[in-house]
Amino acid sequence: MADKEVKPVEKTADPIISQIGDFRRYQFLFFFLILLSKFGTGWHTLGHIFLAAPTPVSCKTENVTDACSKDCKKVEYDTSVFKSTIVTEWDLICDLKTLVSLSQSIVMMGIMLGSMGFGMMADRYGRRPAFLTCCYMQLFTGLIVCLSPFYWFYCLFRFLVAFATGGTMTTSFVLLMEIVGPKRREMIAILYQIPFGIGHGSLSVFAYFIRDWRWFQFSITIFSVVFVIYIWLVPESPRWLYTTGRLDKSIKILEKIARCNKAPTETIRPEIEAAYALKDAQQQAKKANMCDLFRTPYLRLKTIFMANDWLVTCMVYYGTAQYVAVLGGNIFVNNMIAAFVGIPGTCLCVVLTKYLGRKWTLILSSSISAVGLFLLAALFELGTIAQVVCAALGLFGASMSFPNVYLYGGELFPTVVRSNGVGLCSMVGRIGSILAPLICDLKAYGNWIAPVIFGIFSVLAILGTLFLPETRGMPLPETLEDGENFGRKAKM
């Protein structure tokens, strides 16, 4: 009876997918399991909005109205909305006001370095140890932030939380992409981004009911306790094991996945061993590192243009989200608008990447961002409603680009340096997110400057993407040679 339940797997050019199927029961369950880690990335990346929420301050010294005046000896904060923030905790006002934005820049720096650091760890020591390390690091350092006695202590541990968050983003995505086949890869890679937007939007709910910054930080961190289940439920990537020559371990995991998927297991060992012998990937896998992304001309070109796409996407997304969030009105509502306007764009990205492909979807989404941002600059005098509509259009385009660059980058880089490649692009993207608030501050010199700069960068992303190959429906490149040849036009 058991043999009758076995469902043959469609054989493809991908040796891993040929054993476990394109997207069956195991991949479906694994997707939702890994999805849990994505909520925290939205909370910790953008929690600053409420940790350092704007707090009105007034001077209580007699005959002095300016709280920043040298004659003001005592200030009082308006705690009618927020009981406490890091602003009220350490008096980050007047000359110390820049420390507020500095703390968020430090967070973005942590995410940038974490993406790189854990990306390299994942390629060298495996996806599983890197993923588990950053998950638990996020939990413990996040809880320590709640106990911060000093501003510098707060910044240090927020940096460590962000470092772990950057690693979580990179390693969890790579784990997913390496067991999902090309037929469902675009849908999974894009839906994987939705919890980030939900996490961003749900910050308003946490902050509405929890007005003290320490308890707010605790509430967005304690959820990570569920990560303890990953010790038993998240195996090493069989693709990474295969590519690095650990065939026995790879075959053992593939057999477990195949049994869950009710796929045949008796052919896994001979087919994997034969495919590995044909690829002869072991020697090359040991030598592969980030420098290999730039050794050969075509892979170098693809790496540069993909990194540029990440830079622009992060810059435009965080820049426009910040703009919408700080508009006059209710901070809770504004934050939810900034977060949830991106969810329809993410969902639309599923359809467009399937039928238009990754390349033309990215060009389209970057074009939408460019149009919205240039209109924002041109129509700025028409009032708040016009500003919101134009900014929302720019954010909508960026929300389509965000999941697509994850998908596109994951498919473009070969297995031996995939985590390094995605980590590098994520690092460059974080440079964009660090620059975004600085660019927004240029409104002091003209309200049109920031949207024009974001719009110009969107155009540059369009031009660079034209030189990238399409990856839709293609087998993942495994070796550096695959990475160099992938997308090249065949010579006659």
Side-chain angles (χ1 to χ4, degrees), residues 20-31 179 261:
I20 61 176
D22 196 89
F23 189 77
R24 293 190 177 185
R25 180 190 299 175
Y26 180 86
Q27 288 99 324
F28 179 81
L29 296 174
F30 191 74
F31 167 66
I179 65 166
N261 287 346

Side-chain angles (χ1 to χ4, degrees), residues 314-335:
C314 289
M315 179 187 294
V316 173
Y317 183 88
Y318 288 110
T320 52
Q322 177 178 312
Y323 174 82
V324 174
V326 299
L327 288 176
N330 190 301
I331 186 174
F332 305 104
V333 174
N334 288 347
N335 181 71

Side-chain angles (χ1 to χ4, degrees), residues 13-17 174 176-182 185 239 279 407-415 418 471 473-479 482-483 486:
D14 188 322
I16 301 299
I17 301 305
V174 171
L176 270 178
M177 288 299 95
E178 292 190 340
I179 65 166
V180 175
R185 194 179 295 139
R239 186 181 298 278
K279 279 286 185 181
L407 170 65
Y408 207 172
E411 293 180 333
L412 197 64
F413 297 114
T415 298
R418 182 165 297 117
T471 61
M474 302 296 290
L476 292 177
E478 301 286 353
T479 66
D482 293 339
F486 182 77

